[in-house]
Amino acid sequence: MTTLQGISASTGAALGPFHIMAAALPKPSSMQSGSGAEFELDNLSRAIKAVSNELGERAERSEGLAQEILYATQEMTEDSALFSEAESLLAKGHTAAYSIWEAAEIFTRLLINAGGYLAERASDVANIRDRIICVLSGVDYPEIPLLNHGFVLIARDLSPADTTDLKPGQILAIVTEEGGPTSHTAIIARTLGIPAIVACTGVIEAARNDGSNSVGVDARAGVITFNPSQELALELAALTKAIENRRLHRPLHGADGYQTTDGFTVPIYANVGRFEDVNVAVESGADGIGLLRTELLYLDRKTPPSLSEQQELYTKMFTPFASKKVVIRTLDAGADKPMAFINFSKEPNPALGVRGYRTVSNHKALLTTQLEAIAEAAKASGAEVWVMAPMITLPGEAQDFVSLAHSFGLETAGVMVEVPSAVFLANEIAKESNFLSIGTNDLGQYLHAADRESAQLAHFNDPWQPALLRAVHQVANAGARGNCPVGVCGEAASDPALAAVLIGLGVTSLSCNVSTIQDVAQAITSLTYVEMRDAALAALEASNAAEAKLLARKHLHKLASLGL
Ligand code: PEP
Ligand code: MG
Protein backbone atom coordinates (compact mmCIF):
# COMPACT_ATOMS: atom_id res chain seq x y z
CA MET A 1 0.00 0.00 0.00
CA THR A 2 1.34 3.47 -0.88
CA THR A 3 -0.56 6.42 0.49
CA LEU A 4 -0.19 10.00 -0.70
CA GLN A 5 -1.77 13.20 0.55
CA GLY A 6 -3.06 15.99 -1.67
CA ILE A 7 -5.68 18.71 -1.33
CA SER A 8 -9.34 17.83 -1.58
CA ALA A 9 -10.89 19.67 -4.53
CA SER A 10 -14.22 17.84 -4.82
CA THR A 11 -15.57 15.53 -2.16
CA GLY A 12 -16.46 11.84 -2.47
CA ALA A 13 -14.66 8.52 -2.72
CA ALA A 14 -13.75 5.94 -5.34
CA LEU A 15 -12.15 2.56 -5.75
CA GLY A 16 -10.97 0.98 -9.00
CA PRO A 17 -8.29 0.79 -11.67
CA PHE A 18 -6.42 3.91 -12.76
CA HIS A 19 -5.18 5.46 -15.96
CA ILE A 20 -2.21 7.83 -16.20
CA MET A 21 -2.84 10.58 -18.71
CA ALA A 22 0.02 10.78 -21.22
CA ALA A 23 2.46 13.60 -20.61
CA ALA A 24 2.48 16.55 -22.95
CA LEU A 25 5.29 16.92 -25.48
CA PRO A 26 8.75 17.92 -24.20
CA LYS A 27 10.18 21.41 -24.70
CA PRO A 28 11.12 21.86 -28.39
CA SER A 29 14.77 22.34 -29.30
CA SER A 30 16.06 25.92 -29.47
CA MET A 31 17.85 25.19 -32.75
CA GLN A 32 17.30 27.84 -35.39
CA SER A 33 14.77 27.15 -38.12
CA GLY A 34 16.16 26.03 -41.43
CA SER A 35 13.04 27.14 -43.29
CA GLY A 36 13.00 30.88 -42.61
CA ALA A 37 10.85 33.18 -40.48
CA GLU A 38 8.06 33.57 -43.02
CA PHE A 39 7.50 29.81 -43.29
CA GLU A 40 7.50 29.45 -39.48
CA LEU A 41 5.11 32.38 -39.04
CA ASP A 42 2.71 30.84 -41.53
CA ASN A 43 2.96 27.47 -39.75
CA LEU A 44 2.28 29.04 -36.37
CA SER A 45 -0.73 31.04 -37.61
CA ARG A 46 -2.22 27.90 -39.15
CA ALA A 47 -1.64 25.83 -36.00
CA ILE A 48 -3.25 28.51 -33.81
CA LYS A 49 -6.23 28.68 -36.15
CA ALA A 50 -6.57 24.86 -36.11
CA VAL A 51 -6.53 24.74 -32.29
CA SER A 52 -8.95 27.63 -32.05
CA ASN A 53 -11.34 25.98 -34.54
CA GLU A 54 -11.19 22.69 -32.70
CA LEU A 55 -11.96 24.34 -29.35
CA GLY A 56 -14.78 26.31 -30.98
CA GLU A 57 -16.29 23.13 -32.47
CA ARG A 58 -16.11 21.38 -29.13
CA ALA A 59 -17.70 24.40 -27.46
CA GLU A 60 -20.58 24.22 -29.92
CA ARG A 61 -21.13 20.56 -29.08
CA SER A 62 -21.06 21.30 -25.32
CA GLU A 63 -23.34 23.23 -23.06
CA GLY A 64 -23.39 25.13 -19.75
CA LEU A 65 -20.16 25.67 -17.85
CA ALA A 66 -18.16 23.37 -20.16
CA GLN A 67 -19.18 25.45 -23.14
CA GLU A 68 -18.23 28.72 -21.45
CA ILE A 69 -14.84 27.35 -20.47
CA LEU A 70 -14.16 26.09 -24.00
CA TYR A 71 -15.09 29.47 -25.50
CA ALA A 72 -12.87 31.23 -22.93
CA THR A 73 -9.97 28.90 -23.84
CA GLN A 74 -10.59 29.55 -27.52
CA GLU A 75 -10.39 33.29 -26.85
CA MET A 76 -7.12 32.80 -24.95
CA THR A 77 -5.71 30.83 -27.91
CA GLU A 78 -6.24 33.77 -30.17
CA ASP A 79 -4.81 36.25 -27.65
CA SER A 80 -2.75 38.66 -29.73
CA ALA A 81 -0.28 39.28 -26.88
CA LEU A 82 0.74 35.60 -26.89
CA PHE A 83 1.05 35.64 -30.67
CA SER A 84 3.11 38.88 -30.72
CA GLU A 85 5.50 37.48 -28.13
CA ALA A 86 5.98 34.35 -30.29
CA GLU A 87 6.35 36.51 -33.41
CA SER A 88 9.29 38.40 -31.93
CA LEU A 89 11.04 35.07 -31.27
CA LEU A 90 10.31 33.89 -34.81
CA ALA A 91 11.96 37.05 -36.07
CA LYS A 92 15.14 35.92 -34.27
CA GLY A 93 15.17 32.75 -36.39
CA HIS A 94 13.56 30.25 -33.98
CA THR A 95 11.07 27.57 -35.03
CA ALA A 96 7.32 28.06 -34.53
CA ALA A 97 7.25 25.32 -31.85
CA TYR A 98 10.11 26.83 -29.84
CA SER A 99 8.70 30.36 -30.17
CA ILE A 100 5.22 29.48 -28.92
CA TRP A 101 6.76 27.46 -26.08
CA GLU A 102 8.88 30.40 -24.92
CA ALA A 103 6.04 32.90 -25.35
CA ALA A 104 3.76 30.70 -23.25
CA GLU A 105 6.53 30.43 -20.61
CA ILE A 106 6.61 34.21 -20.28
CA PHE A 107 2.83 34.34 -19.81
CA THR A 108 2.64 31.47 -17.34
CA ARG A 109 5.44 33.07 -15.27
CA LEU A 110 3.52 36.36 -15.17
CA LEU A 111 0.36 34.58 -14.06
CA ILE A 112 2.18 32.51 -11.44
CA ASN A 113 3.89 35.62 -10.04
CA ALA A 114 0.54 37.39 -9.79
CA GLY A 115 -0.48 34.54 -7.46
CA GLY A 116 -3.93 33.41 -6.27
CA TYR A 117 -6.70 33.10 -8.83
CA LEU A 118 -4.49 34.29 -11.70
CA ALA A 119 -1.78 31.73 -10.93
CA GLU A 120 -4.30 28.93 -11.37
CA ARG A 121 -4.97 30.11 -14.95
CA ALA A 122 -1.34 29.27 -15.83
CA SER A 123 -2.33 25.68 -16.65
CA ASP A 124 -4.79 27.03 -19.24
CA VAL A 125 -1.95 28.76 -21.12
CA ALA A 126 0.25 25.66 -20.85
CA ASN A 127 -2.53 23.55 -22.32
CA ILE A 128 -3.02 25.89 -25.28
CA ARG A 129 0.75 25.75 -25.87
CA ASP A 130 0.73 21.93 -25.86
CA ARG A 131 -2.18 21.77 -28.27
CA ILE A 132 -0.45 24.15 -30.69
CA ILE A 133 2.80 22.18 -30.47
CA CYS A 134 0.95 18.92 -31.18
CA VAL A 135 -0.53 20.44 -34.35
CA LEU A 136 2.90 21.75 -35.38
CA SER A 137 4.46 18.33 -34.79
CA GLY A 138 1.65 16.46 -36.52
CA VAL A 139 0.84 14.28 -33.48
CA ASP A 140 -2.46 13.78 -31.67
CA TYR A 141 -3.00 15.70 -28.46
CA PRO A 142 -3.28 13.20 -25.53
CA GLU A 143 -7.00 13.18 -24.75
CA ILE A 144 -8.77 11.38 -21.92
CA PRO A 145 -9.28 7.80 -23.20
CA LEU A 146 -12.68 6.21 -23.72
CA LEU A 147 -12.44 2.86 -21.91
CA ASN A 148 -15.23 0.36 -21.40
CA HIS A 149 -14.93 0.52 -17.60
CA GLY A 150 -14.72 3.22 -14.94
CA PHE A 151 -11.27 4.42 -13.87
CA VAL A 152 -9.45 6.95 -11.69
CA LEU A 153 -7.72 9.51 -13.88
CA ILE A 154 -4.21 10.47 -12.75
CA ALA A 155 -2.56 13.41 -14.51
CA ARG A 156 0.08 16.05 -14.01
CA ASP A 157 -2.61 18.68 -14.45
CA LEU A 158 -5.78 18.94 -16.47
CA SER A 159 -6.76 21.95 -18.48
CA PRO A 160 -10.29 23.30 -18.88
CA ALA A 161 -10.41 21.87 -22.37
CA ASP A 162 -9.44 18.41 -21.02
CA THR A 163 -12.00 18.48 -18.25
CA THR A 164 -14.93 19.38 -20.44
CA ASP A 165 -14.83 15.85 -21.83
CA LEU A 166 -15.09 14.18 -18.44
CA LYS A 167 -17.94 11.70 -18.12
CA PRO A 168 -18.97 11.25 -14.47
CA GLY A 169 -19.99 7.59 -15.01
CA GLN A 170 -16.61 6.76 -16.52
CA ILE A 171 -14.23 8.88 -14.46
CA LEU A 172 -14.47 7.59 -10.90
CA ALA A 173 -12.14 10.27 -9.52
CA ILE A 174 -9.40 12.66 -10.61
CA VAL A 175 -6.02 13.03 -8.93
CA THR A 176 -3.56 15.60 -10.23
CA GLU A 177 0.04 16.24 -9.28
CA GLU A 178 -0.38 20.00 -9.76
CA GLY A 179 -3.26 22.46 -9.74
CA GLY A 180 -5.08 24.11 -6.88
CA PRO A 181 -8.52 23.86 -5.31
CA THR A 182 -9.79 26.88 -7.27
CA SER A 183 -8.43 25.77 -10.64
CA HIS A 184 -10.80 25.06 -13.50
CA THR A 185 -10.20 21.33 -13.04
CA ALA A 186 -11.48 21.57 -9.50
CA ILE A 187 -14.47 23.71 -10.48
CA ILE A 188 -15.55 21.30 -13.24
CA ALA A 189 -14.98 18.23 -11.08
CA ARG A 190 -17.18 19.72 -8.36
CA THR A 191 -19.85 20.68 -10.85
CA LEU A 192 -19.93 17.14 -12.24
CA GLY A 193 -19.79 15.58 -8.76
CA ILE A 194 -16.52 13.76 -9.53
CA PRO A 195 -14.30 13.26 -6.45
CA ALA A 196 -11.01 15.11 -7.01
CA ILE A 197 -7.67 15.63 -5.31
CA VAL A 198 -5.17 18.24 -6.55
CA ALA A 199 -1.58 19.14 -5.60
CA CYS A 200 -0.80 15.50 -4.85
CA THR A 201 2.98 15.50 -5.05
CA GLY A 202 4.52 12.27 -6.38
CA VAL A 203 1.27 10.72 -7.59
CA ILE A 204 2.49 10.08 -11.15
CA GLU A 205 5.66 8.36 -10.04
CA ALA A 206 3.76 6.28 -7.48
CA ALA A 207 1.24 5.28 -10.16
CA ARG A 208 4.04 4.26 -12.56
CA ASN A 209 5.70 2.16 -9.84
CA ASP A 210 2.47 0.49 -8.79
CA GLY A 211 1.99 -3.05 -10.03
CA SER A 212 -1.58 -3.58 -8.85
CA ASN A 213 -3.47 -1.05 -11.01
CA SER A 214 -5.84 -0.65 -8.11
CA VAL A 215 -6.35 2.55 -6.22
CA GLY A 216 -8.57 3.92 -3.47
CA VAL A 217 -9.43 7.60 -3.33
CA ASP A 218 -10.85 9.34 -0.27
CA ALA A 219 -11.35 12.83 -1.65
CA ARG A 220 -12.91 14.07 1.61
CA ALA A 221 -9.53 13.69 3.25
CA GLY A 222 -7.45 14.31 0.09
CA VAL A 223 -5.85 10.84 0.38
CA ILE A 224 -5.03 8.38 -2.43
CA THR A 225 -3.88 4.82 -1.70
CA PHE A 226 -2.33 2.52 -4.30
CA ASN A 227 -2.96 -1.19 -3.88
CA PRO A 228 -5.32 -0.66 -0.92
CA SER A 229 -5.71 -3.39 1.70
CA GLN A 230 -8.93 -5.38 1.68
CA GLU A 231 -10.02 -3.55 4.81
CA LEU A 232 -9.54 -0.13 3.20
CA ALA A 233 -11.21 -1.30 -0.01
CA LEU A 234 -14.29 -2.40 1.95
CA GLU A 235 -14.31 0.90 3.84
CA LEU A 236 -14.15 2.92 0.60
CA ALA A 237 -16.84 0.79 -1.06
CA ALA A 238 -19.13 1.41 1.92
CA LEU A 239 -18.31 5.12 1.81
CA THR A 240 -19.12 5.33 -1.92
CA LYS A 241 -22.44 3.56 -1.34
CA ALA A 242 -23.30 5.84 1.60
CA ILE A 243 -22.60 8.92 -0.53
CA GLU A 244 -24.76 7.57 -3.40
CA ASN A 245 -27.65 6.85 -1.02
CA ARG A 246 -27.38 10.19 0.72
CA ARG A 247 -27.47 12.08 -2.56
CA LEU A 248 -30.86 10.55 -3.35
CA HIS A 249 -32.47 12.52 -0.51
CA ARG A 250 -33.08 16.26 -0.43
CA PRO A 251 -32.31 17.69 3.01
CA LEU A 252 -35.13 19.12 5.17
CA HIS A 253 -35.77 22.77 4.41
CA GLY A 254 -38.12 25.12 6.30
CA ALA A 255 -39.35 28.64 5.51
CA ASP A 256 -36.10 30.37 6.50
CA GLY A 257 -33.44 27.75 5.97
CA TYR A 258 -32.37 24.16 6.53
CA GLN A 259 -33.65 22.43 9.68
CA THR A 260 -31.69 20.47 12.25
CA THR A 261 -33.45 17.36 13.59
CA ASP A 262 -34.37 19.30 16.75
CA GLY A 263 -35.95 22.12 14.74
CA PHE A 264 -33.18 24.74 14.69
CA THR A 265 -32.97 26.78 11.47
CA VAL A 266 -29.69 27.27 9.59
CA PRO A 267 -29.71 29.38 6.42
CA ILE A 268 -27.10 28.12 3.94
CA TYR A 269 -26.03 30.64 1.33
CA ALA A 270 -23.69 30.43 -1.65
CA ASN A 271 -20.35 32.06 -2.36
CA VAL A 272 -20.31 33.34 -5.93
CA GLY A 273 -17.65 35.08 -7.99
CA ARG A 274 -18.89 34.68 -11.55
CA PHE A 275 -22.19 35.26 -13.25
CA GLU A 276 -22.59 31.56 -14.06
CA ASP A 277 -22.24 30.59 -10.38
CA VAL A 278 -25.62 32.17 -9.64
CA ASN A 279 -27.67 29.55 -11.50
CA VAL A 280 -25.59 26.78 -9.97
CA ALA A 281 -26.33 28.33 -6.57
CA VAL A 282 -30.09 28.27 -7.26
CA GLU A 283 -29.92 24.65 -8.44
CA SER A 284 -27.85 23.67 -5.40
CA GLY A 285 -30.61 24.77 -3.03
CA ALA A 286 -28.90 27.87 -1.65
CA ASP A 287 -31.02 30.17 0.53
CA GLY A 288 -29.44 33.12 -1.22
CA ILE A 289 -25.96 34.52 -1.79
CA GLY A 290 -23.81 34.93 1.31
CA LEU A 291 -20.73 36.33 -0.44
CA LEU A 292 -20.59 37.90 -3.86
CA ARG A 293 -16.90 38.55 -4.53
CA THR A 294 -17.24 41.54 -6.85
CA GLU A 295 -13.49 41.88 -7.54
CA LEU A 296 -13.57 38.53 -9.36
CA LEU A 297 -16.05 39.95 -11.86
CA TYR A 298 -13.54 42.58 -12.94
CA LEU A 299 -10.13 40.91 -12.51
CA ASP A 300 -9.28 41.12 -16.21
CA ARG A 301 -10.38 44.74 -16.63
CA LYS A 302 -7.90 47.44 -17.57
CA THR A 303 -10.35 50.28 -16.80
CA PRO A 304 -12.80 50.52 -13.90
CA PRO A 305 -16.31 49.20 -14.62
CA SER A 306 -18.78 52.06 -15.11
CA LEU A 307 -21.85 52.69 -12.97
CA SER A 308 -24.24 51.38 -15.63
CA GLU A 309 -22.12 48.31 -16.39
CA GLN A 310 -22.04 47.38 -12.72
CA GLN A 311 -25.72 48.09 -12.26
CA GLU A 312 -26.61 45.84 -15.18
CA LEU A 313 -24.44 42.91 -14.06
CA TYR A 314 -25.48 43.09 -10.39
CA THR A 315 -29.15 43.22 -11.40
CA LYS A 316 -28.69 40.09 -13.50
CA MET A 317 -26.93 38.34 -10.63
CA PHE A 318 -29.45 39.38 -7.93
CA THR A 319 -32.62 38.64 -9.92
CA PRO A 320 -32.61 34.82 -9.58
CA PHE A 321 -32.71 35.46 -5.82
CA ALA A 322 -35.53 38.05 -5.89
CA SER A 323 -37.08 38.34 -2.39
CA LYS A 324 -34.15 36.31 -0.98
CA LYS A 325 -30.99 37.51 0.69
CA VAL A 326 -27.92 38.53 -1.30
CA VAL A 327 -24.78 39.68 0.52
CA ILE A 328 -22.51 41.58 -1.83
CA ARG A 329 -18.98 42.58 -0.91
CA THR A 330 -17.36 45.77 -2.17
CA LEU A 331 -14.11 45.34 -4.13
CA ASP A 332 -11.54 43.31 -2.22
CA ALA A 333 -8.59 44.28 -4.40
CA GLY A 334 -4.90 43.89 -3.74
CA ALA A 335 -2.44 41.21 -2.53
CA ASP A 336 -3.49 37.97 -4.31
CA LYS A 337 -6.14 39.86 -6.31
CA PRO A 338 -4.31 42.70 -8.10
CA MET A 339 -6.51 44.78 -10.42
CA ALA A 340 -5.07 46.57 -13.42
CA PHE A 341 -7.30 49.63 -13.00
CA ILE A 342 -6.09 50.27 -9.44
CA ASN A 343 -2.64 51.70 -9.10
CA PHE A 344 -1.02 49.77 -6.25
CA SER A 345 2.34 51.03 -5.12
CA LYS A 346 4.99 48.35 -4.69
CA GLU A 347 4.93 47.08 -1.10
CA PRO A 348 7.28 44.61 0.59
CA ASN A 349 4.34 42.71 2.15
CA PRO A 350 1.25 43.10 -0.06
CA ALA A 351 -0.94 40.90 2.17
CA LEU A 352 -0.22 43.33 5.03
CA GLY A 353 -0.52 46.36 2.80
CA VAL A 354 -3.10 48.45 1.07
CA ARG A 355 -5.78 45.90 0.16
CA GLY A 356 -9.48 45.32 0.75
CA TYR A 357 -11.26 48.30 2.29
CA ARG A 358 -7.90 50.05 2.65
CA THR A 359 -7.67 50.63 -1.10
CA VAL A 360 -10.66 52.95 -1.05
CA SER A 361 -8.88 55.54 1.06
CA ASN A 362 -7.07 56.43 -2.20
CA HIS A 363 -9.89 55.49 -4.57
CA LYS A 364 -13.09 56.75 -2.94
CA ALA A 365 -14.92 57.10 -6.25
CA LEU A 366 -14.59 53.36 -6.86
CA LEU A 367 -16.48 52.67 -3.65
CA THR A 368 -19.19 55.29 -4.10
CA THR A 369 -19.84 54.26 -7.72
CA GLN A 370 -20.09 50.66 -6.63
CA LEU A 371 -22.49 51.41 -3.76
CA GLU A 372 -24.68 53.44 -6.10
CA ALA A 373 -24.75 50.57 -8.62
CA ILE A 374 -25.58 48.05 -5.87
CA ALA A 375 -28.42 50.23 -4.55
CA GLU A 376 -29.93 50.57 -8.05
CA ALA A 377 -29.57 46.84 -8.75
CA ALA A 378 -31.21 46.03 -5.40
CA LYS A 379 -34.25 48.09 -6.38
CA ALA A 380 -34.44 46.66 -9.89
CA SER A 381 -34.10 43.01 -8.81
CA GLY A 382 -36.30 42.87 -5.72
CA ALA A 383 -33.62 40.92 -3.80
CA GLU A 384 -32.98 41.68 -0.14
CA VAL A 385 -29.50 43.11 -0.62
CA TRP A 386 -26.98 43.37 2.22
CA VAL A 387 -23.63 45.02 1.55
CA MET A 388 -20.32 44.50 3.33
CA ALA A 389 -16.73 45.72 3.23
CA PRO A 390 -13.66 43.44 3.35
CA MET A 391 -10.58 43.69 5.62
CA ILE A 392 -12.06 45.97 8.28
CA THR A 393 -9.52 46.52 11.07
CA LEU A 394 -11.01 49.12 13.41
CA PRO A 395 -14.53 50.12 14.56
CA GLY A 396 -14.07 53.58 12.99
CA GLU A 397 -13.76 51.99 9.53
CA ALA A 398 -16.94 49.98 10.15
CA GLN A 399 -18.73 53.17 11.22
CA ASP A 400 -17.59 55.07 8.10
CA PHE A 401 -18.52 52.25 5.73
CA VAL A 402 -21.91 51.50 7.27
CA SER A 403 -22.97 55.15 7.30
CA LEU A 404 -21.78 55.61 3.71
CA ALA A 405 -23.77 52.53 2.59
CA HIS A 406 -26.85 53.80 4.47
CA SER A 407 -26.52 57.15 2.67
CA PHE A 408 -27.01 55.25 -0.61
CA GLY A 409 -30.21 53.70 0.71
CA LEU A 410 -28.57 50.33 1.45
CA GLU A 411 -30.21 49.68 4.80
CA THR A 412 -28.33 46.56 5.86
CA ALA A 413 -24.61 47.18 5.88
CA GLY A 414 -21.96 45.18 7.65
CA VAL A 415 -18.31 44.22 7.60
CA MET A 416 -16.10 41.19 7.28
CA VAL A 417 -14.13 40.00 10.27
CA GLU A 418 -10.90 38.66 8.82
CA VAL A 419 -8.06 40.31 10.71
CA PRO A 420 -7.24 39.59 14.38
CA SER A 421 -7.86 43.17 15.59
CA ALA A 422 -11.49 42.88 14.44
CA VAL A 423 -11.89 39.77 16.61
CA PHE A 424 -10.67 41.56 19.72
CA LEU A 425 -12.78 44.62 18.87
CA ALA A 426 -15.82 42.59 17.78
CA ASN A 427 -18.09 44.11 20.47
CA GLU A 428 -17.34 47.62 19.24
CA ILE A 429 -17.48 46.67 15.55
CA ALA A 430 -20.81 44.84 16.06
CA LYS A 431 -22.25 48.06 17.54
CA GLU A 432 -21.40 49.92 14.33
CA SER A 433 -22.64 47.20 11.95
CA ASN A 434 -25.93 45.61 10.94
CA PHE A 435 -24.20 42.24 10.54
CA LEU A 436 -20.77 40.58 10.58
CA SER A 437 -19.38 37.97 8.23
CA ILE A 438 -16.28 36.03 9.24
CA GLY A 439 -13.73 35.45 6.48
CA THR A 440 -11.96 32.39 7.84
CA ASN A 441 -9.51 32.21 4.90
CA ASP A 442 -7.84 35.50 5.71
CA LEU A 443 -8.48 35.29 9.43
CA GLY A 444 -6.63 31.94 9.49
CA GLN A 445 -3.65 33.35 7.60
CA TYR A 446 -3.37 36.47 9.77
CA LEU A 447 -3.87 34.63 13.06
CA HIS A 448 -1.07 32.21 12.20
CA ALA A 449 1.14 34.62 10.23
CA ALA A 450 1.09 32.06 7.39
CA ASP A 451 0.48 32.99 3.74
CA ARG A 452 -2.73 31.28 2.61
CA GLU A 453 -1.15 30.55 -0.80
CA SER A 454 1.84 28.72 0.67
CA ALA A 455 1.70 24.93 0.25
CA GLN A 456 4.51 24.62 2.81
CA LEU A 457 2.50 26.46 5.47
CA ALA A 458 -0.85 24.86 4.60
CA HIS A 459 -1.16 23.17 8.02
CA PHE A 460 -1.35 26.58 9.72
CA ASN A 461 -4.22 27.48 7.41
CA ASP A 462 -6.19 24.35 8.28
CA PRO A 463 -9.61 25.80 9.21
CA TRP A 464 -9.81 23.35 12.15
CA GLN A 465 -7.00 25.22 13.92
CA PRO A 466 -8.24 25.91 17.47
CA ALA A 467 -7.06 29.55 17.39
CA LEU A 468 -9.42 30.12 14.46
CA LEU A 469 -12.28 28.28 16.20
CA ARG A 470 -11.78 30.35 19.36
CA ALA A 471 -11.77 33.53 17.28
CA VAL A 472 -15.06 32.51 15.61
CA HIS A 473 -16.54 31.79 19.05
CA GLN A 474 -15.49 35.19 20.35
CA VAL A 475 -17.04 36.99 17.36
CA ALA A 476 -20.25 34.92 17.54
CA ASN A 477 -20.57 35.84 21.24
CA ALA A 478 -20.02 39.52 20.46
CA GLY A 479 -22.73 39.31 17.79
CA ALA A 480 -25.16 37.63 20.19
CA ARG A 481 -24.51 40.32 22.84
CA GLY A 482 -25.00 43.11 20.31
CA ASN A 483 -27.98 41.52 18.55
CA CYS A 484 -25.93 41.48 15.35
CA PRO A 485 -26.14 38.40 13.04
CA VAL A 486 -22.78 36.69 12.42
CA GLY A 487 -22.22 34.47 9.38
CA VAL A 488 -19.17 32.60 8.14
CA CYS A 489 -18.32 32.96 4.45
CA GLY A 490 -14.76 31.58 4.40
CA GLU A 491 -14.05 28.08 3.05
CA ALA A 492 -14.40 26.68 6.60
CA ALA A 493 -18.17 26.74 6.08
CA SER A 494 -17.79 24.41 3.07
CA ASP A 495 -16.50 21.50 5.18
CA PRO A 496 -19.68 19.70 6.32
CA ALA A 497 -18.36 18.65 9.75
CA LEU A 498 -16.74 22.00 10.40
CA ALA A 499 -19.89 23.80 9.26
CA ALA A 500 -21.75 21.97 12.04
CA VAL A 501 -19.07 23.07 14.53
CA LEU A 502 -19.38 26.69 13.37
CA ILE A 503 -23.13 26.62 14.04
CA GLY A 504 -22.35 25.12 17.46
CA LEU A 505 -19.94 28.01 18.10
CA GLY A 506 -22.89 30.38 17.66
CA VAL A 507 -22.74 31.68 14.10
CA THR A 508 -26.18 32.31 12.64
CA SER A 509 -25.63 31.41 8.97
CA LEU A 510 -23.18 29.73 6.61
CA SER A 511 -22.07 30.65 3.12
CA CYS A 512 -20.38 27.91 1.13
CA ASN A 513 -18.80 27.08 -2.11
CA VAL A 514 -21.74 26.18 -4.45
CA SER A 515 -20.44 22.67 -4.94
CA THR A 516 -20.67 21.85 -1.24
CA ILE A 517 -24.07 23.32 -0.37
CA GLN A 518 -25.90 19.99 -0.53
CA ASP A 519 -23.23 18.19 1.51
CA VAL A 520 -23.27 20.91 4.16
CA ALA A 521 -27.08 20.92 4.17
CA GLN A 522 -27.12 17.15 4.60
CA ALA A 523 -24.73 17.37 7.53
CA ILE A 524 -26.74 20.10 9.26
CA THR A 525 -30.09 18.40 8.72
CA SER A 526 -28.87 15.07 10.09
CA LEU A 527 -27.78 16.51 13.44
CA THR A 528 -29.34 18.21 16.44
CA TYR A 529 -28.28 21.67 17.49
CA VAL A 530 -27.20 20.16 20.80
CA GLU A 531 -24.80 17.76 19.03
CA MET A 532 -23.28 20.68 17.13
CA ARG A 533 -22.88 22.72 20.29
CA ASP A 534 -21.23 19.80 22.11
CA ALA A 535 -18.90 19.23 19.13
CA ALA A 536 -17.99 22.92 19.16
CA LEU A 537 -17.30 23.00 22.91
CA ALA A 538 -15.08 19.92 22.56
CA ALA A 539 -13.14 21.39 19.60
CA LEU A 540 -12.50 24.60 21.55
CA GLU A 541 -10.47 22.60 24.08
CA ALA A 542 -8.05 21.23 21.44
CA SER A 543 -4.49 22.41 20.99
CA ASN A 544 -4.14 21.54 17.31
CA ALA A 545 -6.31 21.08 14.21
CA ALA A 546 -6.23 17.27 14.13
CA GLU A 547 -7.26 17.09 17.77
CA ALA A 548 -10.06 19.61 17.23
CA LYS A 549 -11.44 17.51 14.40
CA LEU A 550 -11.17 14.29 16.37
CA LEU A 551 -12.84 15.72 19.48
CA ALA A 552 -15.64 17.31 17.44
CA ARG A 553 -16.25 14.20 15.35
CA LYS A 554 -17.02 12.17 18.51
CA HIS A 555 -20.21 14.22 18.77
CA LEU A 556 -20.86 14.14 15.02
CA HIS A 557 -20.62 10.37 14.48
CA LYS A 558 -23.86 10.39 12.43
CA LEU A 559 -21.90 12.08 9.65
CA ALA A 560 -19.62 9.10 9.06
CA SER A 561 -22.52 6.85 8.07
CA LEU A 562 -23.54 9.46 5.48
CA GLY A 563 -20.06 9.50 3.97
CA LEU A 564 -19.46 13.01 5.29
C1 PEP B 1 -12.03 35.04 3.51
O1 PEP B 1 -10.96 35.63 3.63
O2 PEP B 1 -12.37 34.07 4.22
C2 PEP B 1 -12.98 35.43 2.46
C3 PEP B 1 -14.18 34.90 2.38
O3 PEP B 1 -12.54 36.32 1.54
P1 PEP B 1 -11.55 35.92 0.31
O4 PEP B 1 -11.37 34.45 0.34
O5 PEP B 1 -12.22 36.41 -0.91
O6 PEP B 1 -10.33 36.69 0.69
MG1 MG C 1 -10.74 37.55 2.67
Side-chain angles (χ1 to χ4, degrees), residues 364-411:
K364 194 80 191 256
L366 275 179
L367 179 62
T368 50
T369 307
Q370 188 172 28
L371 289 174
E372 194 178 343
I374 294 169
E376 289 303 322
K379 273 189 234 144
S381 65
E384 186 197 332
V385 175
W386 294 19
V387 63
M388 66 180 179
M391 292 286 294
I392 291 295
T393 314
L394 296 173
E397 289 173 319
Q399 187 185 31
D400 291 347
F401 174 74
V402 171
S403 63
L404 185 66
H406 287 173
S407 75
F408 281 89
L410 290 158
E411 281 168 18

Side-chain angles (χ1 to χ4, degrees), residues 91-109:
K92 291 184 190 150
H94 292 294
T95 60
Y98 180 80
S99 303
I100 195 70
W101 179 283
E102 280 297 311
E105 281 290 289
I106 294 169
F107 278 85
T108 43
R109 256 199 310 276

Side-chain angles (χ1 to χ4, degrees), residues 222-258:
V223 171
I224 174 168
T225 307
F226 290 94
N227 194 11
S229 64
Q230 203 183 356
E231 194 188 350
L232 180 61
L234 285 173
E235 211 178 285
L236 286 170
L239 183 59
T240 317
K241 193 87 216 133
I243 294 170
E244 263 170 33
N245 287 343
R246 171 169 57 77
R247 288 192 173 148
L248 296 175
H249 304 289
R250 273 278 187 190
L252 189 64
H253 194 273
D256 297 317
Y258 288 91

